[in-house]
Amino acid sequence: MNQNPMNITLDEKPSTTPSLLRSLQTFFTNPQARAVGLVFTTESLSLGGWVAHIPYVKEKLHLTDAGLGMVLFAMPVGLLLMNPLTGWIIARLGAARTCFLSALVLCFSTLIPINAPNVALMAFGLFLVGLSAALLNVAMNTCAADVEREQKILIMSSCHGMWSLGGMVGSLLAGILIAIHVSPSIHMLAVTIALLLLTVALRPILATIPAQPPTESSAAFVKPNMLLLLMIFIGLAVAMGEGAALDWSAVYLHESTGASSQIAALGFGCFSLAMTIGRFMGDAIIPRFGAKRILSVGSLVAASGLLLAILVPVPLVVLAGFTLLGAGCSLIAPILYTASMRVPGIPAATGLATFATFSFIGFLAGPPVIGFVAEAYGLAYGLGLVVVVLVLSAFISRKVNV
């Protein structure tokens, strides 16, 4: 292990750099890797379907930007309550079983806010979404790490690519259904039924993944050391960018640029397309160009894309901006999720659960914060806050070797 306390060495990775074609072939032909990737897709399809209909719910319940931001806080509240327990739950149930159960709860939970007749029920539904998504997030990343460790292959970036693919498909599907006037409630019900069937079908394959033996320390939540804190800030910044695309891209396109509802739904789709391409390339290009360089350059590309969307509020330009945001963010999360399990002095599961907690806070709490800033100064300023955080992330990335 490198003696520099600010250095993370991913010494469990294979020594050779895989080609892009071989990397993708390894992922898609490996049953366990493919099954874990589909679990990632399940989460993003559920969330992506809900996100596309946020403008619909906002109008239905007559919410202001600040009001919407306040209700969206129910998701990070659920996360905060669940994430310190994720290590304990996974240690007792196993990552595979936890993936199955949390995916089931998430599928049902997303039906609540889309059909909520009032703000209270909407908040309750989002609270359940936060609980289940937090648990699923750690469990599925743990499964991916278990497959990597057992089979000595690289799949983490491709698994995150499957998450982005689900978001892209969900966004595009929502845009089509909105255009042909399909009810959001019917859309989400159909998505839920399809994902439930997929989740049940994946269960036997997930059960074959060898799990890392649980220990008392690995099941615990830990106070981050300086190294993990720096990684957490970078992860939080990028997660805020992802959350901005997830929750506010459709609203920004619809209200700030005058785009139609179906065009507005493409904002998250463009973001997810860039994320998908980048992440499927990641397992091949991260070893080739270096994780540290990708962290720094990616943060700057993401910041420039969001800044472009703010400065030129024209639908096509904004879509291009969210595409750049997705490209810049694409590889940062896979790098940091892997690195969080290899921080010197911290057990792998503990590092993952701790990092996931704080980065997911950025993903879920960032959009409500944007809403509060938007209410006071305008949505462009709310998104501008994310630009500033991403730029800071680029400079911090220079101090962390991964």
Side-chain angles (χ1 to χ4, degrees):
M1 187 68 65
N2 193 304
Q3 297 301 311
N4 181 355
M6 297 302 291
N7 185 63
I8 303 169
T9 302
L10 304 184
D11 50 11
E12 296 180 14
K13 294 290 186 182
S15 57
T16 58
T17 300
S19 66
L20 175 59
L21 183 60
R22 178 170 295 183
S23 174
L24 293 175
Q25 183 180 24
T26 298
F27 176 76
F28 284 106
T29 59
N30 187 300
Q32 291 180 346
R34 193 169 59 243
V36 175
L38 287 171
V39 174
F40 277 74
T41 304
T42 296
E43 184 186 57
S44 63
L45 275 171
S46 296
L47 295 176
W50 150 247
V51 164
H53 295 302
I54 287 179
Y56 159 79
V57 175
K58 183 174 183 280
E59 292 181 10
K60 184 180 76 170
L61 298 181
H62 308 292
L63 295 170
T64 63
D65 285 342
L68 177 61
M70 181 65 74
V71 179
L72 291 176
F73 252 123
M75 288 180 69
V77 168
L79 174 141
L80 287 172
L81 290 179
M82 174 57 72
N83 250 83
L85 302 175
T86 54
W88 180 85
I89 294 173
I90 292 171
R92 280 150 184 79
L93 296 181
R97 184 180 297 177
T98 304
C99 276
F100 174 73
L101 295 176
S102 55
L104 290 181
V105 176
L106 178 63
C107 288
F108 284 114
S109 298
T110 53
L111 291 177
I112 300 176
I114 200 72
N115 294 295
N118 53 59
V119 172
L121 190 57
M122 177 183 172
F124 173 71
L126 292 176
F127 173 75
L128 291 181
V129 170
L131 284 176
S132 54
L135 183 56
L136 180 57
N137 186 49
V138 177
M140 66 190 186
N141 278 282
T142 301
C143 281
D146 287 340
V147 173
E148 284 193 326
R149 185 191 65 255
E150 180 69 19
Q151 302 196 33
K152 301 297 186 293
I153 58 176
L154 296 170
I155 68 164
M156 184 66 77
S157 185
S158 295
C159 283
H160 283 259
M162 293 293 286
W163 191 96
S164 300
L165 178 63
M168 180 183 67
V169 172
S171 175
L172 293 174
L173 177 62
I176 293 172
L177 295 180
I178 289 172
I180 61 176
H181 307 293
V182 173
S183 165
S185 298
I186 294 176
H187 168 211
M188 290 305 298
L189 178 61
V191 168
T192 296
I193 293 173
L195 294 182
L196 286 174
L197 293 174
L198 175 62
T199 300
V200 172
L202 292 175
R203 186 180 186 183
I205 303 175
L206 294 174
T208 66
I209 299 174
Q212 183 173 355
T215 64
E216 246 351 91
S217 59
S218 69
F221 190 76
V222 70
K223 181 180 179 180
N225 57 23
M226 180 55 67
L227 179 56
L228 191 53
L229 276 174
L230 293 176
M231 293 169 54
I232 284 170
F233 182 85
I234 300 168
L236 188 147
V238 173
M240 284 186 68
E242 294 182 12
L246 186 72
D247 282 355
W248 287 105
S249 60
V251 175
Y252 182 73
L253 277 159
H254 185 59
E255 296 185 358
S256 298
T257 74
S260 63
S261 295
Q262 50 265 43
I263 295 298
L266 295 178
F268 186 62
C270 290
F271 171 85
S272 296
L273 174 61
M275 290 270 280
T276 302
I277 295 173
R279 286 175 168 177
F280 279 130
M281 296 172 62
D283 289 323
I285 68 175
I286 290 172
R288 183 163 302 173
F289 293 99
K292 180 178 180 178
R293 180 182 300 173
I294 292 173
L295 289 181
S296 181
V297 173
S299 296
L300 289 177
V301 170
S304 66
L306 197 52
L307 183 61
L308 176 65
I310 294 169
L311 295 178
V312 188
V314 176
L316 287 178
V317 177
V318 172
L319 289 176
F322 278 109
T323 301
L324 283 175
L325 176 65
C329 291
S330 61
L331 298 181
I332 296 178
I335 289 171
L336 294 178
Y337 269 97
T338 298
S340 69
M341 294 182 282
R342 294 171 183 158
V343 177
I346 298 179
T350 305
L352 174 60
T354 304
F355 174 79
T357 295
F358 289 99
S359 65
F360 218 51
I361 286 174
F363 180 67
L364 295 181
V369 171
I370 292 171
F372 296 140
V373 175
E375 183 71 14
Y377 304 104
L379 185 51
Y381 284 91
L383 296 177
L385 174 65
V386 181
V387 174
V388 173
V389 175
L390 284 168
V391 172
L392 290 175
S393 169
F395 286 102
I396 291 176
S397 298
R398 299 178 180 180
K399 298 185 177 295
V400 180
N401 291 328
V402 290

